[in-house]
Amino acid sequence: MSLQLPDKWIWDSWYVQDGGVTHAFYLHASKALGDPDRRHRHPIVGHAVSRDLTTWTVVEDALIVSEPGAFDDATTWTGSVVRGDDGLWWMFFTGTSRAEDTMVQRVGAATSPDLMTWSKVSSAPLVEADPRWYELLDRSLWHDQAWRDPWVFRFPGEATWHMLITARANHGDARVRGVLGHATSENLVDWAVQPPLSEPGQGFGQLEVFQFEIVDGVPVLLFCCGWAELSPERQAAGEAGGVYSVVVDERLAEVDFSRAQLFERTDLYASRLVRAADGGWALLGFVNIVDGEFVGALSDPVLVTADPVLGLVPRVAAGAGAEVEAQASDAGESDARESDARESDARDRDDVDNDSDLSVSAAR
């Protein structure tokens, strides 16, 4: 594992690259809490930097909770980072309050000139769930008000910013109301909540930690979901929950999560797509449950590509070095690489799962 802190648990993370350095922002909490489930109410947004995605230097924490009375005086949770047109960096994050016992989630922001020192924009949230489309807090339906994990991006060549949000629709079977929440902005400050980009009833109670990327020519939406929040049908099919992807329209039109595929590394959760040194893509996430125990450490990068039907699948980079070659051989991949790629593609996807600890020199 590339980042493991002896006295802290690490979970959700998000990344940005600048000048050849990858910045990882991640949630962490002290192991002195005893029970790892308690971490969710005691998070700090940590910060580490790397030039190869495997060796990390921990630097000063980025964010902590605000003073009493702010929308985020209880927790600061998962987000994303973008750079504005004026060069200022923006971190969008999830906040909850003590007054609401962390049950209502909202989105706020902080800014930085250098990715190192962050200042929160406001004690009030910038984006909240709109009851015209989204479920508000109702403990008889769900355990919280889902409105978190903001992923902010722009379509190429366009000025409008889009925010993808973990959310639930205000109608349908309560077990599968998870939808792709959506908001837009022209200036990163003023946000207009839009209708969801998917419909409820597509197999998930909630869909966490979205990311949209074009992976090797295939538009892919990445997210995660735990076993308990899967539909009864997915549970009955034996899915363990974890990291999912779904192939989508390049404009995110009519997203259909019923076609989402579970990534085969089910020990990972809240993974992100980052650029590897060979120009391809890698997944970085936290190692979740192994042998019944929560690990809470940042994984080594897992090389991936995208299939037009299956979404994200593992890959082995050509010429990635002797270490990768040796590990691929151990996983039974050498013969597959020597055969025709088209005929061996399906077998590659089954075999690469054995190669679960690739260590490569990479940078986003």
Side-chain angles (χ1 to χ4, degrees):
M1 288 170 283
S2 62
L3 180 57
Q4 188 168 18
L5 304 179
D7 59 342
K8 297 174 181 178
W9 292 297
I10 295 173
W11 64 110
D12 295 15
S13 56
W14 53 103
Y15 302 85
V16 67
Q17 188 260 348
D18 183 48
V21 176
T22 300
H23 294 254
F25 299 95
Y26 54 88
L27 304 183
H28 69 86
S30 173
K31 291 182 179 179
L33 292 167
D35 181 355
D37 287 343
R38 296 183 63 199
R39 73 188 188 277
H40 297 293
R41 292 200 175 200
H42 300 272
I44 293 173
V45 178
H47 185 189
V49 294
S50 176
R51 289 188 176 273
D52 63 5
L53 300 185
T54 58
T55 302
W56 295 91
T57 300
V58 175
V59 295
E60 183 176 344
D61 288 334
L63 293 179
I64 60 172
V65 299
S66 295
E67 294 299 312
F71 85 100
D72 61 339
D73 66 2
T75 66
T76 49
W77 287 334
T78 310
S80 61
V81 174
V82 296
R83 194 172 197 173
D85 294 330
D86 60 357
L88 190 66
W89 295 97
W90 286 73
M91 181 187 296
F92 293 89
F93 64 91
T94 309
T96 69
S97 71
R98 296 180 183 181
E100 295 162 323
D101 195 27
T102 74
M103 291 296 102
V104 177
Q105 301 159 7
R106 300 178 176 91
V107 172
T111 60
S112 173
D114 57 5
L115 290 170
M116 301 301 292
T117 303
W118 294 89
S119 300
K120 292 183 180 179
V121 170
S122 172
S123 61
L126 298 186
V127 196
E128 301 185 62
D130 189 324
R132 287 181 293 174
W133 304 295
Y134 299 101
E135 179 185 278
L136 302 187
L137 182 64
D138 185 341
R139 298 295 294 277
S140 68
L141 296 173
W142 199 249
H143 48 77
D144 58 22
Q145 179 175 307
W147 191 258
R148 66 181 183 278
D149 307 337
W151 177 261
V152 177
F153 73 101
R154 290 196 285 201
F155 291 111
E158 298 186 12
T160 298
W161 294 94
H162 295 263
M163 181 183 292
L164 307 181
I165 307 161
T166 292
R168 282 170 52 86
N170 61 7
H171 63 281
D173 183 341
R175 297 173 297 178
V176 286
R177 286 190 178 187
V179 292
L180 177 56
H182 185 212
T184 56
S185 175
E186 303 304 321
N187 58 13
L188 294 174
V189 178
D190 303 300
W191 289 87
V193 176
Q194 307 291 345
L197 295 173
S198 67
E199 295 293 330
Q202 294 182 349
F204 300 90
Q206 62 181 3
L207 307 107
E208 303 185 278
V209 192
F210 287 116
Q211 182 178 356
F212 171 65
E213 299 287 357
I214 308 296
V215 178
D216 299 331
V218 179
V220 171
L221 190 61
L222 183 70
F223 67 98
C224 56
C225 184
W227 181 87
E229 288 80 39
L230 295 176
S231 67
E233 292 78 13
R234 284 186 177 266
Q235 291 178 351
E239 287 188 15
V243 177
Y244 287 82
S245 66
V246 61
V247 177
V248 294
D249 175 84
E250 63 182 11
R251 298 290 305 182
L252 290 175
E254 299 180 356
V255 175
D256 182 2
F257 288 114
S258 66
R259 299 187 293 108
Q261 300 289 320
L262 177 65
F263 191 70
E264 48 191 66
R265 281 288 303 274
T266 55
D267 60 320
L268 300 182
Y269 204 76
S271 294
R272 300 291 197 177
L273 284 160
V274 295
R275 282 287 187 180
D278 62 1
W281 293 90
L283 277 183
L284 280 176
F286 75 90
V287 182
N288 191 12
I289 305 295
V290 176
D291 296 329
E293 298 292 332
F294 180 73
V295 176
L298 189 64
S299 72
D300 288 320
V302 179
L303 301 182
V304 294
T305 185
D307 179 278
V309 175
L310 299 177
L312 291 182
V313 294
R315 70 178 174 93
V316 174
E323 182 178 359
V324 171
E325 292 291 333
Q327 291 178 353
S329 178
D330 291 341
E333 285 294 308
S334 294
D335 291 340
R337 286 198 309 274
E338 294 172 0
S339 66
D340 181 80
R342 185 175 300 170
E343 294 177 358
S344 66
D345 185 63
R347 185 171 67 254
D348 288 350
R349 288 193 293 269
D350 292 335
D351 290 344
V352 171
D353 186 49
N354 295 326
D355 185 11
S356 60
D357 193 26
L358 288 176
S359 179
V360 298
S361 175
R364 189 171 185 227

